């Protein structure tokens, strides 16, 4: 299957604005729409779904830990059952807005610290699967983590994700910061091409680690997200 570009978006809240979703849409294939627990609200959810529909993009749910204050980028102690219920609540809300526009849920992409916790903690990986059991769509995840073992073992397709605007440690783990810094767009595009063609990611110390790339993630809250998305789209086109 061709490599896609996905983007975390719809992350505004009330009168507060985050990211330039309209400018990003032409460069992406699938939109991960925030569901209200780390960002977004009912108005922004519907507006983002409508924007994606207008651009012919597929939409997935981008659910989070219940952490609006911390933008979902703070870990918390939460049980598997409670997390699964929070996920069903969020994904169900987005599914309603999709149905209102005659669209179907395409995938699930856990947000922020929930994504990282599920990579290391079986209970959180299973909580995501508990919710995915209901909606029956693929889950975006990371190679070399519990995503790659637990999701398929539970009968769910994992779409291997590579990050086009974040850094990696030498062991291949992702460095997730509360706020994202601007990145050199050309360098990020080159890293994405290497991940696709060579199956290698580059770490902060310049070393390489094995990776697999079926979808490239760009965050809408990265300051130069549009520049990065444009550069990545142009760079990967000959390789997909």
């Amino acid at each position: 299957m061709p490599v896609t570009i996905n983007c975390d978006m719809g992350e505004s809240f009330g009168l507060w604005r985050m990211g330039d979703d309209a400018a990003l849409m032409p460069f992406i294939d699938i939109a991960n729409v925030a569901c209200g627990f780390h960002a977004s609200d009912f108005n922004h959810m519907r507006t983002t779904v409508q924007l994606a529909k207008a651009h012919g993009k597929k939409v997935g749910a981008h659910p989070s830990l219940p952490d609006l204050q911390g933008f979902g980028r703070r870990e918390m102690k939460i049980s598997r059952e409670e997390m699964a219920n929070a996920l069903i609540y969020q994904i169900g809300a987005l599914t309603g807005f999709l149905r209102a526009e005659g669209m179907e849920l395409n995938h699930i992409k856990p947000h922020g610290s929930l994504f990282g916790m599920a990579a290391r903690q079986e209970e959180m990986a299973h909580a995501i699967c508990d919710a995915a059991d209901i909606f029956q769509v693929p889950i975006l995840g990371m190679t070399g983590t519990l995503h790659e073992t637990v999701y398929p073992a539970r009968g769910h397709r994992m779409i291997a994700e590579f990050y086009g605007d974040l850094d990696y440690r030498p062991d291949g783990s992702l460095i997730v910061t509360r706020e994202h810094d601007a990145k050199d767009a050309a360098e990020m595009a080159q890293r994405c091409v290497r991940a696709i063609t060579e199956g290698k990611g580059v770490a902060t110390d310049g070393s390489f680690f094995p990776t697999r790339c079926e979808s490239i993630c760009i965050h809408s809250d990265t300051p130069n997200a549009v520049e990065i998305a444009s550069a990545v789209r142009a760079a990967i086109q000959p390789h997909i």
Side-chain angles (χ1 to χ4, degrees):
M1 295 181 66
V3 174
T4 60
I5 296 176
N6 74 80
C7 186
D8 302 345
M9 48 185 25
E11 294 182 320
S12 297
F13 185 83
L15 298 179
W16 181 70
R17 295 291 183 267
M18 172 75 85
D20 191 346
D21 292 353
L24 281 161
M25 278 291 179
F27 302 110
I28 71 169
D29 302 292
I30 55 178
N32 315 314
V33 178
C35 301
F37 275 28
H38 76 279
S40 198
D41 54 40
F42 39 84
N43 290 323
H44 287 295
M45 287 170 74
R46 186 155 200 181
T47 298
T48 310
V49 168
Q50 291 172 333
L51 180 64
K53 181 181 180 180
H55 284 266
K57 310 300 181 181
K58 296 178 179 180
V59 171
H62 194 39
S64 169
L65 294 163
D67 180 27
L68 192 60
Q69 177 71 24
F71 200 71
R73 289 177 179 160
R74 301 182 297 188
E75 292 196 4
M76 62 173 58
K77 292 184 181 298
I78 186 168
S79 71
R80 170 177 169 175
E81 181 181 11
E82 188 174 3
M83 191 67 249
N85 289 340
L87 290 166
I88 294 165
Y89 184 98
Q90 294 175 80
I91 301 164
L94 181 67
T95 299
F97 288 117
L98 287 167
R99 288 183 179 175
E101 301 300 327
M103 300 175 71
E104 297 292 328
L105 182 70
N106 185 69
H107 63 278
I108 296 168
K109 160 70 184 296
H111 167 80
S113 288
L114 174 59
F115 186 93
M117 290 167 69
R120 307 183 312 273
Q121 301 174 18
E122 287 194 12
E123 287 291 286
M124 290 300 99
H126 280 292
I128 290 166
C129 291
D130 293 342
D133 285 346
I134 296 168
F135 297 98
Q136 291 296 305
V137 292
I139 310 169
L140 270 65
M142 215 169 119
T143 58
T145 71
L146 289 177
H147 301 165
E148 196 169 35
T149 54
V150 174
Y151 298 167
R154 287 283 303 272
H156 297 290
R157 181 185 164 217
M158 189 198 86
I159 299 172
E161 189 176 41
F162 183 80
Y163 283 79
D165 58 359
L166 293 181
D167 291 322
Y168 287 83
R169 299 180 184 88
D171 65 358
S173 61
L174 197 61
I175 300 174
V176 180
T177 54
R178 286 285 300 278
E179 295 184 18
H180 293 168
D181 298 324
K183 300 291 184 183
D184 183 285
E187 181 183 349
M188 295 301 106
Q190 184 182 42
R191 290 185 186 183
C192 292
V193 170
R194 182 182 290 112
I196 295 168
T197 60
E198 301 177 29
K200 294 179 180 179
V202 62
T204 50
D205 65 353
S207 64
F208 295 105
F209 58 88
T211 191
R212 187 160 58 89
C213 175
E214 294 176 307
S215 190
I216 296 164
C217 177
I218 308 293
H219 294 86
S220 64
D221 66 309
T222 298
N224 61 331
V226 176
E227 181 189 6
I228 294 172
S230 175
V232 170
R233 169 63 69 195
I236 71 170
Q237 203 62 42
H239 303 283
I240 59 175

